Amino acid sequence: MKRLSHLACTLLSFFCFTALIEARERVSFNEGWRFLNEEAEEAQSSSFDDSQWRTLNLPHDWAIEGPFDVKYNARSGGLPFHGTGWYRKTFEVPAELKNSKVAVKFDGAMYNAHVWINDHFLGARPFGYIGFEYDLTPYLNFGSRNVIAVKLAPEDLSSRWYPGAGLYRNTWLNITTPVRVPHWGTFVTTPTISDELAEVRSTHRDSLRSEKSRSTATAHYDPRPRR
């Protein structure tokens, strides 16, 4: 009986995991960006002309391109990691995704990042070492042109080592169903722990604010081999 129960739990976990994979798609957003390493007034506007900017693919670190100079902070490698950098990208999202959730995920943006989509300010992220995500869905033109703009402004003498500068890690579009667990939306706590027993609680925050009932399935695995 125990063996059958364990098999049933395993099958349930498998089907839940399979459904999660089918409901979530992660698409690389690294290609086809335009970059400018200086101040640019109104560069967040979707109508801004960036045709003369440099075209590149991410990840990109503008500081590592140099030049080395003794006037720059030696602790940071003598490289120009501070200043202002702009990244812009024009893209389309297929019309058939209009009932999906579409979010942009930055694995690393160094730093003081400000992000806009189609003239809407999404938010700012001062720290450069942790990834972050913004929901683009309310502001997207499905089946038509979209423009995302990112401004970064690393500060001089702000690091004791070389921090890099720019969108220095991968960037993604996360496409999901309307009901999803948002970025950083899962919380795990252990309110009770003893030599014999550990109580594990997990809570999830979903992306819809409605009165409709929903259910989730969570599986906890012990990495230690069974004895």
Side-chain angles (χ1 to χ4, degrees):
M1 190 66 181
K2 287 184 178 180
R3 189 170 297 177
L4 288 175
S5 177
H6 176 69
L7 177 62
C9 290
T10 302
L11 289 174
L12 177 61
S13 300
F14 172 77
F15 288 126
C16 289
F17 181 67
T18 302
L20 180 62
I21 292 176
E22 293 175 350
R24 177 181 293 271
E25 182 180 4
R26 188 171 77 156
V27 180
S28 174
F29 204 50
N30 284 343
E31 295 187 357
W33 288 81
R34 290 186 180 271
F35 172 70
L36 182 71
N37 190 194
E38 60 185 60
E39 289 282 359
E41 189 174 351
E42 299 300 321
Q44 74 275 14
S45 172
S46 59
S47 60
F48 183 87
D49 181 10
D50 59 13
S51 60
Q52 301 304 308
W53 290 16
R54 174 183 171 189
T55 300
L56 51 77
N57 298 329
L58 305 181
H60 174 244
D61 175 3
W62 81 66
I64 202 66
E65 298 172 351
F68 291 96
D69 198 305
V70 294
K71 69 182 180 182
Y72 300 130
N73 183 2
R75 293 176 301 175
S76 301
L79 285 164
F81 74 88
H82 56 281
T84 299
W86 280 95
Y87 294 85
R88 287 170 53 90
K89 177 169 178 166
T90 300
F91 64 102
E92 290 189 9
V93 177
E96 55 265 28
L97 293 178
K98 65 180 180 180
N99 294 321
S100 302
K101 282 279 189 182
V102 182
V104 62
K105 167 74 185 314
F106 297 94
D107 284 349
M110 188 62 69
Y111 60 92
N112 288 329
H114 291 69
V115 185
W116 294 262
I117 180 71
N118 295 335
D119 302 312
H120 295 274
F121 179 59
L122 294 173
R125 183 75 179 183
F127 193 58
Y129 293 102
I130 297 178
F132 57 96
E133 179 182 287
Y134 289 120
D135 183 9
L136 304 180
T137 313
Y139 315 111
L140 285 176
N141 301 314
F142 289 93
S144 185
R145 176 178 180 268
N146 298 277
V147 178
I148 188 169
V150 183
K151 179 182 180 181
L152 300 166
E155 300 172 11
D156 194 13
L157 304 177
S158 60
S159 177
R160 292 175 293 168
W161 50 79
Y162 176 73
L167 298 179
Y168 68 99
R169 291 182 181 171
N170 291 317
T171 303
W172 309 91
L173 283 185
N174 289 329
I175 304 168
T176 66
T177 58
V179 178
R180 67 185 185 112
V181 177
H183 194 238
W184 308 126
T186 300
F187 306 89
V188 179
T189 59
T190 52
T192 303
I193 298 178
S194 68
D195 293 338
E196 294 78 25
L197 178 68
E199 179 185 358
V200 179
R201 292 182 185 176
S202 61
T203 58
H204 307 280
R205 176 171 52 88
D206 69 38
S207 58
L208 288 184
R209 297 178 179 178
S210 70
E211 298 301 322
K212 293 182 179 180
S213 61
R214 293 178 290 276
S215 61
T216 60
T218 304
H220 300 280
Y221 295 95
D222 188 339
R224 296 172 298 180
R226 291 179 176 272
R227 295 180 179 178

